[in-house]
């Protein structure tokens, strides 16, 4: 595709300005000499229709949830209903200033207060803070609550946080940032926490267990109640990484199976934007045990009035400027009100159904890392294709030729050639079948014509880039411009 500079032709323009009418002075005589350019700017000279076609063609070359299926689903690009954007853009929300007195923003405070109540109900817990800016900061907030609790109760000797080896990388990073030593737990043959390993590593040094449920393997931890009881019996607390709530929202409540504190990723469960870098939002829910330590200010209701309460002597303090990313909260509130309890329960059911449908179509052709009914995602193992010289990375690149965004690959780390596939609840059967057909064809190509897979993609504007440098050090320039 040519750049718009290459399409430029001298004298071609979108707007032609008429010469000065008789009696009017030319612009050169009106403006001071210092405001005039010595020569015209090096802008492309193209007609309006060429501009429209150029940028339309560019937009079609870009992957987006509006145009393509993302099999890495809620993790990065869950579809966001447009009505949420429209609601968040209402002047009554969008034009508020964070320094406005509470009495002038009663509507917004009521929305935030009600959203806290909704998330607390979904979590099965007692209190929520909306302050954390994203999931990772939600983790930090949650572990700081646990640390504050142990310190107050003279349990400072608890210096370890237990973390399954299938966890998100942010979990050990968070625990370390809070001053804890991390202890890795093994995964058993069914993909759950190895109970014997857990028992062996629990001690009076245990401050907490950080667990993701459903796990990054897409599996619900069947013995979560037993695990929580073991941790509590040792004097520790249970933190749940709520990244995968999309699979269980409205079905089970973490507080009911022993979790003390958890965070939500609003973008992964309640359809707020995430792709492109945010902003995100990572509210934290906790039981009454940890509520005194929540960040301030808290939003309180007295009759029909709402206000900020800064009087919490045990609070860990602020974790975010102002009141959090409230635009995300408006979107999540709109999503929850639009669906209601039955709707969010149905969304979880559809997310699980879609994942299991894809799993059923691909099982037998692809090796399944832990083969049992999955939640909203599942993990394949591309190792069997190594004998043909094809790796998981090659399969992911080949998907681009079929106009599908690649899934998450090489995660979780305990599956060597992992492909994590997460369709979400919004995709229909035709889309799922088209994706499954592409995956099956790629598997056949890997066996019969591996070179076409190893050298993919073949239809994209650029081929295989250095993925780290392409993201961190992009070179965006026009060769004709120097």
């Amino acid at each position: 595709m040519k750049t718009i500079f290459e399409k430029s032709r001298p004298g071609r323009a979108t707007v032609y300005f008429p010469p000065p009418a008789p009696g009017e002075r030319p612009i050169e005589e009106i403006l001071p000499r210092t405001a005039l350019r010595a020569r015209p700017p090096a802008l492309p000279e193209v007609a309006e229709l060429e501009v429209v076609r150029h940028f339309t063609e560019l937009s079609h070359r870009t992957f987006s949830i509006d145009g393509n299926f993302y099999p890495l689903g809620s993790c990065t690009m869950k579809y966001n209903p447009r009505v949420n954007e429209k609601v968040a853009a209402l002047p009554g929300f969008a034009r508020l200033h964070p320094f406005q007195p509470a009495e002038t923003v009663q509507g917004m405070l009521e929305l935030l207060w009600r959203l806290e109540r909704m998330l607390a109900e979904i979590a099965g817990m007692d209190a929520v803070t909306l302050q954390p800016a994203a999931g990772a900061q939600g983790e930090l907030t949650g572990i700081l609550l646990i640390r504050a609790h142990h310190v107050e109760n003279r349990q400072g000797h608890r210096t370890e946080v237990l973390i399954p080896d299938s966890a998100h990388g942010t979990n050990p990073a968070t625990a370390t940032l809070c001053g804890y030593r991390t202890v890795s737990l093994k995964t058993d043959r069914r993909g759950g926490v190895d109970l014997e390993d857990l028992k062996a590593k629990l001690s009076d040094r245990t401050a907490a267990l950080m667990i993701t449920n459903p796990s990054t393997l897409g599996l619900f931890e069947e013995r979560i109640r037993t695990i929580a009881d073991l941790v509590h019996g040792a004097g520790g607390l249970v933190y749940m990484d709520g990244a995968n709530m999309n699979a269980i929202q409205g079905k089970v409540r973490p507080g009911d199976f022993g979790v003390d504190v958890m965070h939500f990723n609003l973008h992964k469960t309640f359809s707020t934007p995430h792709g492109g870098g945010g902003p995100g939002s990572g509210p934290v829910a906790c039981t009454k045990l940890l509520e005194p330590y929540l960040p301030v200010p808290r939003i309180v209701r007295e009759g029909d009035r709402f206000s900020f309460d800064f009087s919490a002597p045990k609070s860990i303090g602020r974790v975010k400027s102002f009141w959090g990313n409230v635009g995300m909260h408006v979107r999540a509130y709109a999503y929850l009100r639009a669906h209601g309890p039955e709707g969010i329960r149905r969304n979880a059911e559809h997310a699980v159904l879609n994942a299991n449908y894809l799993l059923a179509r691909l099982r037998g052709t692809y090796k399944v890392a832990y083969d049992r009914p999955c939640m909203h995602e599942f993990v394949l193992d591309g190792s069997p294709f190594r004998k043909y010289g094809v790796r998981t990375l090659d399969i992911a690149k080949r998907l681009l030729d079929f106009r599908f965004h690649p899934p998450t690959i090489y995660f979780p780390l305990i599956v060597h050639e992992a492909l994590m596939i997460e369709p979400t609840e919004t995709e229909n059967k035709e889309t799922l079948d088209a994706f499954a057909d592409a995956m099956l064809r790629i598997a056949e190509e890997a066996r019969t014509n591996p070179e076409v897979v190893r050298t993919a993609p073949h239809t994209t504007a650029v081929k295989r880039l250095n993925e780290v440098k392409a993201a961190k050090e992009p070179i965006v320039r026009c060769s004709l411009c120097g």
Side-chain angles (χ1 to χ4, degrees):
M1 177 181 173
K2 292 182 177 179
T3 69
I4 198 166
F5 292 93
E6 292 170 312
K7 295 174 180 175
S8 175
R9 294 293 181 272
R12 193 172 293 171
T14 296
V15 177
Y16 293 92
F17 293 99
E24 291 182 341
R25 297 166 60 196
I27 194 72
E28 294 81 1
E29 295 181 8
I30 299 174
L31 295 177
R33 181 174 296 277
T34 55
L36 298 176
R37 285 179 174 274
R39 55 182 179 274
L43 296 174
E45 298 179 70
V46 287
E48 178 177 322
L49 181 55
E50 292 171 293
V51 174
V52 171
R53 286 176 176 168
H54 178 77
F55 286 102
T56 300
E57 184 177 359
L58 274 180
S59 72
H60 290 171
R61 286 172 171 251
T62 304
F63 272 83
S64 71
I65 193 65
D66 289 345
N68 307 91
F69 172 47
Y70 275 62
L72 42 68
S74 70
C75 190
T76 297
M77 195 60 75
K78 178 175 172 175
Y79 176 70
N80 303 311
R82 293 295 187 270
V83 67
N84 301 347
E85 302 300 315
K86 191 173 183 64
V87 170
L90 290 173
F93 294 128
R95 295 181 183 174
L96 294 181
H97 192 283
F99 283 139
Q100 281 186 232
E103 57 268 24
T104 68
V105 291
Q106 286 295 299
M108 177 63 88
L109 290 181
E110 181 173 359
L111 182 150
L112 299 179
W113 185 86
R114 291 188 181 281
L115 178 60
E116 286 186 356
R117 302 284 85 71
M118 290 177 180
L119 294 178
E121 174 61 26
I122 292 168
M125 298 186 190
D126 301 299
V128 167
T129 175
L130 301 176
Q131 267 195 39
Q137 198 185 28
E139 288 182 26
L140 179 70
T141 303
I143 296 299
L144 287 176
L145 300 183
I146 290 174
R147 189 177 73 174
H149 166 75
H150 287 318
V151 169
E152 186 188 3
N153 289 278
R154 300 181 185 278
Q155 297 287 302
H157 58 279
R158 296 188 177 277
T159 57
E160 294 179 350
V161 173
L162 309 183
I163 302 174
D165 57 10
S166 62
H168 292 108
T170 49
N171 290 182
T174 294
T176 302
L177 197 60
C178 291
Y180 289 110
R181 187 174 82 86
T182 60
V183 178
S184 180
L185 297 177
K186 296 177 184 174
T187 295
D188 69 11
R189 62 182 180 79
R190 285 181 54 75
V193 171
D194 186 318
L195 281 188
E196 294 309 311
D197 194 41
L198 171 65
K199 293 174 184 175
K201 291 172 178 173
L202 281 171
S203 72
D204 62 0
R205 297 186 301 276
T206 302
L209 165 72
M210 293 185 81
I211 189 168
T212 306
N213 193 24
S215 70
T216 62
L217 294 165
L219 303 173
F220 189 79
E221 179 53 67
E222 300 163 320
R223 297 165 299 182
I224 185 64
R225 184 73 249 185
T226 300
I227 290 170
D229 289 345
L230 286 169
V231 174
H232 290 151
L237 298 176
V238 179
Y239 181 92
M240 195 183 99
D241 181 329
N244 292 339
M245 279 296 289
N246 204 45
I248 61 173
Q249 57 175 337
K251 303 295 288 187
V252 293
R253 307 193 308 170
D256 294 341
F257 54 66
V259 171
D260 300 290
V261 54
M262 64 167 289
H263 80 267
F264 295 90
N265 293 78
L266 292 188
H267 66 276
K268 300 180 82 167
T269 308
F270 304 113
S271 96
T272 62
H274 181 59
S281 184
V284 168
C286 67
T287 62
K288 284 194 177 299
L289 181 74
L290 297 175
E291 184 177 1
Y293 313 106
L294 282 173
V296 289
R298 303 288 307 283
I299 302 169
V300 295
R301 178 177 185 173
E302 296 178 8
D304 292 332
R305 307 298 295 172
F306 299 85
S307 60
F308 293 115
D309 181 6
F310 291 84
S311 58
K314 297 181 182 179
S315 168
I316 62 171
R318 277 184 181 274
V319 297
K320 177 76 172 70
S321 59
F322 304 121
W323 326 115
N325 290 329
V326 296
M328 299 302 103
H329 304 151
V330 175
R331 290 170 170 86
Y333 182 78
Y335 179 84
L336 284 166
R337 289 298 303 268
H339 287 278
E342 285 302 318
I344 65 167
R345 189 177 298 121
R346 189 166 54 249
N347 289 347
E349 291 168 352
H350 288 176
V352 173
L353 177 64
N354 281 359
N356 278 280
Y357 178 73
L358 274 182
L359 175 61
R361 285 214 56 191
L362 298 177
R363 179 189 287 120
T365 300
Y366 286 87
K367 178 182 177 183
V368 184
Y370 294 89
D371 197 0
R372 61 183 172 97
C374 67
M375 299 304 288
H376 65 307
E377 64 189 9
F378 59 93
V379 178
L380 302 177
D381 183 350
S383 297
F385 296 101
R386 292 293 296 268
K387 61 186 175 187
Y388 306 112
V390 171
R391 301 187 59 207
T392 286
L393 175 67
D394 304 320
I395 296 170
K397 294 293 185 185
R398 182 63 173 143
L399 275 170
L400 291 167
D401 289 329
F402 294 90
R403 299 296 294 169
F404 292 115
H405 195 286
T408 299
I409 57 175
Y410 298 109
F411 183 80
L413 301 178
I414 58 173
V415 180
H416 189 59
E417 288 283 341
L419 292 102
M420 178 196 287
I421 296 174
E422 181 184 4
T424 81
E425 68 275 16
T426 54
E427 301 298 339
N428 59 34
K429 183 174 180 296
E430 290 77 16
T431 301
L432 299 179
D433 279 332
F435 176 74
D437 290 344
M439 287 288 290
L440 296 175
R441 178 173 165 181
I442 293 170
E444 178 64 19
E445 290 175 342
R447 287 187 288 269
T448 60
N449 185 14
E451 189 63 17
V452 74
V453 183
R454 283 197 296 265
T455 56
H458 303 281
T459 59
T460 53
V462 294
K463 307 305 177 187
R464 296 206 181 190
L465 304 174
N466 181 318
E467 295 182 352
V468 175
K469 284 184 172 293
K472 302 294 184 184
E473 302 173 19
I475 301 173
V476 183
R477 65 181 176 85
C478 168
S479 58
L480 297 179
C481 302

